Amino acid sequence: KNQVEQSPQSLIILEGKNCTLQCNYTVSPFSNLRWYKQDTGRGPVSLTIMTFSENTKSNGRYTATLDADTKQSSLHITASQLSDSASYICVVSFTSGTYKYIFGTGTRLKVLA
Amino acid sequence: DAMVIQNPRYQVTQFGKPVTLSCSQTLNHNVMYWYQQKSSQAPKLLFHYYDKDFNNEADTPDNFQSRRPNTSFCFLDIRSPGLGDAAMYLCATSRVRTSYEQYFGPGTRLTVT
C-alpha cells in the first residue's frame, strides 16, 4: 500500500534552535518527493522538490535530504524563527497509469520566543 | 502576484443548501485539482481536470461535483452540504500531470450550520 508517514506529529522548539522532521514512504514507483509548509488557514507552499537522483536540496534555512534506498526523507530547519510555526507536509508522487500524489499527515511545528 | 486564487476565503452555508466554491489561476496550467482538508489531516484529493477531461477519485461522494468552463476557472459544487463537509477546500494546479510542481491556492474554509 502506498503510504507516507511523518514524525513527529508535533514539535515545540525555542526560537533560534534547529530541528529535523522525518518522512518515511512506501510509495512505488517513486517519482519525486516534496516538502510543503502550510500556515494555519492557508494553502500549502512548496519548499523543496527532489527526484530519485537528488539526495539533498536547500531553500534558505530549509534543507531536505532524500535516501531513496531506505525511502526516507528529512527536512532540517536551521536557526528557527517564529514564522516557521506551521505544518510541514511531505508529499510523494508516483506514476501508475496516471500521476498520483500521496500526502503525509504533516508535522505541526511551534516555535516559541 | 497571486497565481491560484480562491473565492471566497470563508464560506458559511446551511445544511442542505447548495454551495459553490471558486478557483481561478493565472498560470495557464492544464491540470486543476480540488482537495478537501479537515482539521489536522492531510489534504484528500476529490477530483482533477486535465484540460476538459474530468477525473473523479473513486471515494469522492456524489454530493461533490465540479465544472471547468475554461482553462482559468474551476468550480466545486456541493449539492447538499452536510455537517461532515465542513472543511478547508484547496484548489491546486500543475502544468501537466507529470509536472513536478503543484501550486496551491489559499483555500476556502467552509462552515456548515
Side-chain angles (χ1 to χ4, degrees), chain A residues 69-91:
Chain A
D69 291 330
T70 62
K71 299 188 176 182
Q72 295 179 326
S73 176
S74 64
L75 180 70
H76 186 74
I77 304 175
T78 304
S80 61
Q81 300 176 358
L82 298 178
S83 59
D84 293 331
S85 296
S87 287
Y88 291 84
I89 303 173
C90 175
V91 182

Side-chain angles (χ1 to χ4, degrees), chain A:
Chain A
K1 185 179 178 183
N2 290 309
Q3 283 187 315
V4 176
E5 295 183 352
Q6 292 187 242
S7 62
Q9 207 169 16
S10 61
L11 182 63
I12 301 174
I13 61 173
L14 293 176
E15 187 179 16
K17 298 296 186 183
N18 303 335
C19 67
T20 300
L21 314 180
Q22 298 291 341
C23 174
N24 297 338
Y25 62 93
T26 58
V27 177
S28 182
F30 175 87
S31 181
N32 59 70
L33 184 146
R34 316 141 187 246
W35 283 93
Y36 285 91
K37 178 186 178 188
Q38 185 175 23
D39 292 316
T40 301
R42 311 286 296 184
V45 174
S46 179
L47 294 174
T48 64
I49 302 172
M50 288 181 292
T51 60
F52 185 88
S53 59
E54 296 173 299
N55 53 26
T56 187
K57 186 164 278 191
S58 292
N59 178 1
R61 294 180 298 103
Y62 301 102
T63 299
T65 64
L66 173 64
D67 186 333
D69 291 330
T70 62
K71 299 188 176 182
Q72 295 179 326
S73 176
S74 64
L75 180 70
H76 186 74
I77 304 175
T78 304
S80 61
Q81 300 176 358
L82 298 178
S83 59
D84 293 331
S85 296
S87 287
Y88 291 84
I89 303 173
C90 175
V91 182
V92 181
S93 306
F94 72 101
T95 303
S96 177
T98 185
Y99 198 69
K100 293 283 191 182
Y101 302 88
I102 306 295
F103 283 72
T105 52
T107 292
R108 188 178 297 271
L109 175 66
K110 179 79 172 172
V111 181
L112 300 178

